[in-house]
Amino acid sequence: MTNARRAARIGRRRWASSKTFHSDAQTEMELTGGSTTQLEMDLGELPLPSYARPAPKEDNVLEQGDLFDLLAESPEPTPQTIFEGMEKPIFEVAFADGRNARFQHANTLLESLEAQDIHIEYQCREGYCGSCRVRLVEGDVHYIEEPMAWIDDDEILPCCCIPKSALKLQ
Amino acid sequence: MAYTTFNRNEFDTFEQPMFFGEPVNVARYDQQKHKIFENLIEKQLSFFWRPEEVDLTNDRKDFMDLPEHEKHIFVSNLKYQTLLDSVQGRSPNVALLPVVSLPELETWIETWSFSETIHSRSYTHIVRNIVPNPAVVFDDITKNEYIVRRAISVTKYYDDFIELSNYYQQLGEGKHTVNGETIDVNLHELKRRLYLTMVSVNVLEAIRFYVSFACSFAFAERAKMEGNAKIIKLIARDEALHLTGTQHMLQIMARGKDDAEFAQIAEECRDDVVAIFHEAAEQEKEWADYLFKDGSMIGLNKDILSQYVEYITNQRIGALGFEPIFDVRNNPLPWINAWLNSDNVQVAPQEAEISSYLVGAIDSEVDTADFGDFDL
Ligand code: FES
Ligand SMILES: [Fe+2]
Ligand SMILES: [Fe+2]
């Protein structure tokens, strides 16, 4: 694996594990009816116009190699998305071809499967490209973000959901 | 029906189909028949980027050091992408806007097409950087037989639809004599051409670009042309959204969700759909042959690229509810996924320098719990 790819993968984990959904924030998100993007846009600082934006600081610039080392020194505290008032979900995930996994300590079904060496296609990892589409034979899932990709009634997008029950996938 | 820029009829927007209903009037987004298009607009706007924000100075040096056969691969892909985005930057507007009936879909089409113009502008940025005279690249696009051949299959569905649609708007349904020629304008045929156009657009955005994407990322895997790869990641992110938009339109049509005639047309056209996907996959494989005619590049050769084309063709046609048309079951280039995943904040730390410049970029590492006290 090249450094670039390793860094990309680590960067993704780092982002993912820092994401914690607060139930209040979640409800408000639903009330506004918008995507999370919209929520963040509303709350975030207004971006500066390009001429006013500071140049990146020298000491902030990471080389790919540095980054790997740097991240290795800062292990993740709690890797699972936490929903207030909801128990941490732990569910069995079975595939029609006989492969088995267990969902626990993960932000999304996709991350959980990847961590257990079950390869699922992906691209956007946030529900808008449809690459991760799999068929749900049995069980139920909860979407962390409203998925935008087209899926059939019996399909799910593992990149943006977590199980609500044991699952059987194809 | 004649086009009007502001339809003064009163009508219930929820009664309107996506296309061929009332021409739109008020651009309002408070009532939406298909909310997905509003979501797509929001997402596309949040993706906004400018090519000049990606620094390409190292690419110039990299390019000069590439062996000739790799220069050929790089430049040929750039030409092909330029062709595809030239088409996509205008055609959805020209073809679809005159017949659209929902404001959110109208705006999605404009937003979609606008993002393609950014892609086109990025090619000028890249070309200016690698050759002293950009004309040597751009002028060849209309001359190079390998590109021209593909340009024909990319544009013929759009052109056939636009031709009949123009007659429909001017003359309405029926048999008409124009310049001594009899033209039969009927809505069923027009809808059929629209459906096939959408399929060919889906193929363009969801398959045809991917050979170039693979080559760009294969260069970047060797730490060559990395600025270009950053631009391609941003383009690939937009294209993933476009293909989702097109899949929604095709599925709304095929399920007769707002116009039962389209469900019938989709049924009639099943073989045509398979043929369009098949033809595109074969052309892309031929293209791979042309790219590698003087030699392969590290990590990619004609065979593996052809398998990749077959693989994504299966994926895309599967999303439309068709059986796979090729035997490949697994992605032969799994490393590409990490490159294709280019969300401005979630990925690659090496992308940090792009996202920090991006207008509207958000620090998504901020815990939403921090906002608990904010009133929305
Ligand atoms: S990876 Fe894009 S929708 Fe799941
Ligand atoms: Fe494009
Ligand atoms: Fe596109």
Side-chain angles (χ1 to χ4, degrees):
Chain A
M1 197 190 290
T2 66
N3 272 346
R5 216 176 322 136
R6 195 188 293 129
R9 192 181 274 181
I10 289 163
R12 211 171 55 226
R13 293 232 180 92
R14 186 177 56 147
W15 135 261
S17 55
S18 65
K19 198 160 67 165
T20 306
F21 282 92
H22 197 267
S23 60
D24 289 348
Q26 174 112 25
T27 321
E28 301 207 356
M29 215 182 313
E30 280 158 12
L31 284 176
T32 59
S35 59
T36 47
T37 318
Q38 194 182 348
L39 177 86
E40 288 160 1
M41 291 293 284
D42 290 340
L43 296 175
E45 281 178 20
L46 286 174
L48 292 168
S50 56
Y51 55 81
R53 263 174 262 145
K57 277 188 241 98
E58 267 313 306
D59 55 0
N60 270 354
V61 176
L62 293 173
E63 297 297 322
Q64 291 170 354
D66 298 350
L67 189 97
F68 184 61
D69 293 343
L70 185 115
L71 289 174
E73 287 163 16
S74 48
E76 295 307 328
T78 75
Q80 181 160 14
T81 307
I82 293 163
F83 292 90
E84 265 179 23
M86 187 169 149
E87 282 196 17
K88 273 195 182 186
I90 299 180
F91 292 113
E92 301 304 321
V93 182
F95 282 80
D97 60 11
R99 287 174 300 169
N100 276 299
R102 165 177 288 188
F103 178 90
Q104 61 178 352
H105 312 309
N107 290 297
T108 65
L109 179 56
L110 178 64
E111 283 183 12
S112 170
L113 294 173
E114 284 173 339
Q116 294 168 80
D117 280 332
I118 293 180
H119 169 81
I120 302 276
E121 279 295 295
Y122 71 86
Q123 182 170 335
C124 70
R125 304 180 77 89
E126 52 173 307
Y128 65 79
C129 78
S131 300
C132 63
R133 224 161 37 93
V134 293
R135 180 154 292 131
L136 177 67
V137 185
E138 249 175 63
D140 206 0
V141 297
H142 168 81
Y143 281 98
I144 301 159
E145 352 191 359
E146 182 186 357
M148 287 171 65
W150 167 267
I151 40 169
D152 221 326
D153 298 337
D154 61 346
E155 291 173 331
I156 56 165
L157 296 170
C159 71
C160 52
C161 73
I162 55 170
K164 280 207 297 202
S165 69
L167 302 179
K168 198 170 208 180
L169 306 176
Q170 202 174 23
Chain B
M1 193 181 296
Y3 184 74
T4 167
T5 45
F6 190 86
N7 182 2
R8 283 185 289 170
N9 294 344
E10 278 181 40
F11 53 88
D12 179 359
T13 191
F14 292 99
E15 294 294 311
Q16 294 305 307
M18 291 191 293
F19 300 106
F20 299 113
E22 290 281 345
V24 272
N25 51 26
V26 181
R28 58 187 288 184
Y29 312 99
D30 58 324
Q31 45 184 29
Q32 288 162 8
K33 183 159 181 196
H34 299 296
K35 183 165 180 291
I36 179 66
F37 298 115
E38 173 71 9
N39 294 347
L40 288 163
I41 295 163
E42 286 275 331
K43 198 68 161 178
Q44 184 69 69
L45 292 176
S46 79
F47 285 173
F48 181 75
W49 57 282
R50 292 174 56 226
E52 299 73 21
E53 289 163 354
V54 179
D55 178 14
L56 295 176
T57 34
N58 289 335
D59 288 42
R60 184 199 303 265
K61 285 181 239 123
D62 288 346
F63 184 77
M64 288 190 321
D65 293 342
L66 290 182
E68 282 310 313
H69 73 278
E70 290 193 345
K71 281 188 179 142
H72 163 76
I73 295 169
F74 187 86
V75 172
S76 302
N77 277 326
L78 204 50
K79 288 176 189 168
Y80 185 38
Q81 284 182 259
T82 306
L83 161 75
L84 295 179
D85 274 302
S86 305
V87 172
Q88 275 306 95
R90 65 178 73 98
S91 313
N93 286 343
V94 177
L96 308 177
L97 292 183
V99 298
V100 74
S101 298
L102 297 171
E104 71 274 21
L105 179 55
E106 179 186 49
T107 307
W108 163 244
I109 292 163
E110 291 166 325
T111 309
W112 166 24
S113 237
F114 168 64
S115 78
E116 309 289 15
T117 65
I118 297 177
H119 303 173
S120 295
R121 295 177 62 78
S122 76
Y123 305 137
T124 299
H125 181 49
I126 294 169
V127 171
R128 267 198 193 124
N129 187 60
I130 57 169
V131 291
N133 177 12
V136 299
V137 175
F138 290 130
D139 289 353
D140 188 50
I141 295 173
T142 50
K143 295 192 194 96
N144 182 314
E145 60 163 314
Y146 291 89
I147 302 208
V148 170
R149 206 185 302 157
R150 300 139 64 72
I152 296 167
S153 33
V154 165
T155 54
K156 69 175 182 238
Y157 293 97
Y158 269 129
D159 291 349
D160 288 351
F161 171 73
I162 290 168
E163 185 190 21
L164 192 60
S165 176
N166 283 343
Y167 285 125
Y168 174 72
Q169 286 157 57
Q170 286 165 26
L171 309 167
E173 278 193 276
K175 282 204 167 46
H176 308 283
T177 308
V178 179
N179 293 336
E181 216 189 303
T182 307
I183 315 273
D184 184 3
V185 182
N186 79 74
L187 202 49
H188 189 84
E189 171 61 14
L190 195 53
K191 287 180 180 178
R192 196 185 70 88
R193 291 191 190 185
L194 175 60
Y195 183 74
L196 293 180
T197 299
M198 295 312 299
V199 172
S200 111
V201 170
N202 190 225
V203 158
L204 187 164
E205 301 194 287
I207 298 174
R208 293 191 188 271
F209 270 110
Y210 279 73
V211 167
S212 303
F213 290 171
C215 293
S216 291
F217 298 142
F219 279 118
E221 279 278 308
R222 291 155 49 200
K224 300 269 180 254
M225 312 305 289
E226 288 181 302
N228 172 71
K230 283 178 185 170
I231 288 182
I232 297 297
K233 286 175 90 158
L234 293 165
I235 292 177
R237 180 176 68 172
D238 291 338
E239 293 307 334
L241 197 63
H242 303 169
L243 90 89
T244 285
T246 308
Q247 284 174 354
H248 276 278
M249 285 187 237
L250 284 167
Q251 293 281 13
I252 291 170
M253 288 173 169
R255 291 169 185 231
K257 282 201 172 170
D258 58 22
D259 179 348
E261 195 174 11
F262 268 115
Q264 187 197 336
I265 287 167
E267 206 43 52
E268 288 164 19
C269 290
R270 283 188 79 86
D271 291 346
D272 302 273
V273 172
V274 174
I276 290 172
F277 274 83
H278 209 110
E279 185 197 20
E282 293 308 324
Q283 286 179 337
E284 295 313 303
K285 291 194 274 183
E286 273 171 38
W287 179 247
D289 203 19
Y290 169 71
L291 287 180
F292 298 140
K293 67 183 172 64
D294 303 322
S296 298
M297 55 188 294
I298 299 169
L300 271 189
N301 60 36
K302 190 209 160 200
D303 289 338
I304 198 155
L305 204 46
S306 297
Q307 280 172 35
Y308 183 62
V309 168
E310 294 184 352
Y311 175 76
I312 51 171
T313 304
N314 282 349
Q315 293 276 107
R316 304 314 188 210
I317 202 166
L320 297 181
F322 287 78
E323 289 304 310
I325 50 183
F326 296 104
D327 288 335
V328 212
R329 284 289 172 268
N330 295 312
N331 184 352
L333 300 172
W335 54 266
I336 285 196
N337 292 348
W339 285 100
L340 284 172
N341 177 265
S342 67
D343 190 25
N344 53 359
V345 273
Q346 291 184 25
V347 227
Q350 72 269 26
E351 293 300 305
E353 67 258 51
I354 303 185
S355 51
S356 63
Y357 281 111
L358 273 178
V359 179
I362 304 144
D363 182 0
S364 290
E365 297 219 6
V366 177
D367 190 321
T368 48
D370 294 347
F371 298 133
D373 294 331
F374 271 71
D375 280 333
L376 284 177

